[in-house]
Amino acid sequence: IMSPKNISIFSVIQSVFPLLWTAKHEKNYLSLRLRLIISLTLVIITICLNLLLPWAFKNIVQTLSVCSTFPLVLLGIGLYGGIYLLHNSFWIVQEMIVLPVIFSAAKKLHLKTYTHLQNLSLSYHMRRKSGWLGNVLSRINHSTYRLVLLTIFYFTALTVEITATAGVLWYTYSWYYALTVLGIISAYVLILIHMSQKYNQAQETANNADNAVSGKTLDNLINYQTIKFFSNESFEQEQLNRVLDQ
């Protein structure tokens, strides 16, 4: 388990990718591996089509400025629209193909979390953390799909697209154009990482507060008979009020 302060995009990818690359002893591992490879291939194809869009638009405008007959106009619009349609279609198809892989990763992540909870000490479970743990597990289940897409596919697509764009600028114009673009993007990424860390700290505080409130409320409901037996309602309400004040 990593400390939140030590988490980076690379550590997240290192943790998530083994969940996506199905082990040989698992069921349908060949099918899931093939789906993952096809999805990554479609991501690369989508990036290539995205890079072709400005080139196609430039050639269409240049051609129409010389000769603007109706069939040629129709052909140019059809070419540009076809590339744009393929770009969006490939992205949708790759998300459909990768869904079983993400579900498999979510199942493994949930089992891994459950095993970790079982291995915790008895004193930890005796402190009535049922509601807190339930909230955390719910957040894990809801965020797995987004986590996989962001860390593997979007990060991969962004890296390849930036590299390809820099290569095109270097080949078409000069190396300092590519270097300028990479410098601007690098500065943007550094600022974004810094702001994301600040946001994550605030989000962690909000999550802890939400976990505390949900945990206290659910634990009180789970232990309703005990609280009622000892007439401890006022004490529990006071405890919950302190958590809400925080």
Side-chain angles (χ1 to χ4, degrees):
I1 304 297
M2 294 180 292
S3 171
K5 296 181 179 179
N6 299 327
I7 293 178
S8 64
I9 184 65
F10 301 104
S11 61
V12 172
I13 292 175
Q14 188 178 4
S15 302
V16 171
F17 190 76
L19 299 175
L20 294 173
W21 190 253
T22 314
K24 290 185 178 181
H25 64 272
E26 297 183 35
K27 184 180 179 182
N28 298 328
Y29 79 95
L30 283 177
S31 173
L32 294 175
R33 285 185 178 183
L34 184 61
R35 283 177 175 272
L36 181 61
I37 293 172
I38 292 174
S39 297
L40 290 174
T41 304
L42 288 176
V43 168
I44 296 174
I45 294 174
T46 304
I47 294 170
C48 295
L49 290 173
N50 194 33
L51 293 174
L52 281 176
L53 281 174
W55 173 84
F57 186 74
K58 182 202 74 169
N59 284 276
I60 290 169
V61 172
Q62 287 180 346
T63 303
L64 293 180
S65 63
V66 176
C67 180
S68 58
T69 59
F70 180 75
L72 199 58
V73 171
L74 195 61
L75 180 63
I77 295 175
L79 177 63
Y80 184 82
I83 294 176
Y84 183 79
L85 181 63
L86 284 175
H87 171 269
N88 290 330
S89 300
F90 279 145
W91 191 259
I92 294 173
V93 169
Q94 75 87 15
E95 287 191 353
M96 293 172 58
I97 291 175
V98 83
L99 271 179
V101 182
I102 295 178
F103 290 154
S104 175
K107 182 187 75 172
K108 286 183 283 189
L109 181 61
H110 191 84
L111 289 174
K112 188 176 181 180
T113 306
Y114 181 74
T115 304
H116 173 72
L117 293 175
Q118 281 188 322
N119 293 331
L120 292 174
S121 62
L122 182 62
S123 61
Y124 179 85
H125 291 282
M126 291 297 291
R127 284 180 291 175
R128 296 191 307 174
K129 294 287 185 178
S130 302
W132 186 87
L133 291 175
N135 205 23
V136 171
L137 290 174
S138 176
R139 189 174 289 115
I140 289 174
N141 290 333
H142 292 145
S143 62
T144 302
Y145 178 79
R146 186 179 178 185
L147 176 68
V148 172
L149 286 182
L150 288 176
T151 55
I152 299 298
F153 294 100
Y154 289 150
F155 180 76
T156 303
L158 186 62
T159 304
V160 174
E161 190 166 4
I162 292 173
T163 306
T165 303
V168 170
L169 289 174
W170 192 324
Y171 177 79
T172 307
Y173 299 102
S174 180
W175 62 268
Y176 52 82
Y177 284 97
L179 190 62
T180 302
V181 171
L182 289 177
I184 294 172
I185 293 175
S186 299
Y188 170 75
V189 169
L190 291 176
I191 295 173
L192 184 63
I193 290 174
H194 177 72
M195 297 303 296
S196 297
Q197 289 176 345
K198 296 294 184 182
Y199 171 79
N200 288 337
Q201 292 175 0
Q203 185 65 44
E204 183 183 356
T205 303
N207 288 343
N208 289 335
D210 183 48
N211 291 337
V213 173
S214 300
K216 191 65 179 175
T217 305
L218 184 57
D219 288 338
N220 287 345
L221 294 175
I222 291 175
N223 297 280
Y224 171 78
Q225 291 180 341
T226 304
I227 295 172
K228 203 73 175 175
F229 182 78
F230 290 100
S231 300
N232 217 21
E233 294 93 338
S234 299
F235 175 77
E236 293 295 339
Q237 289 173 5
E238 183 180 351
Q239 293 290 102
L240 180 59
N241 188 41
R242 290 179 181 175
V243 174
L244 290 171
D245 289 338
Q246 295 176 0

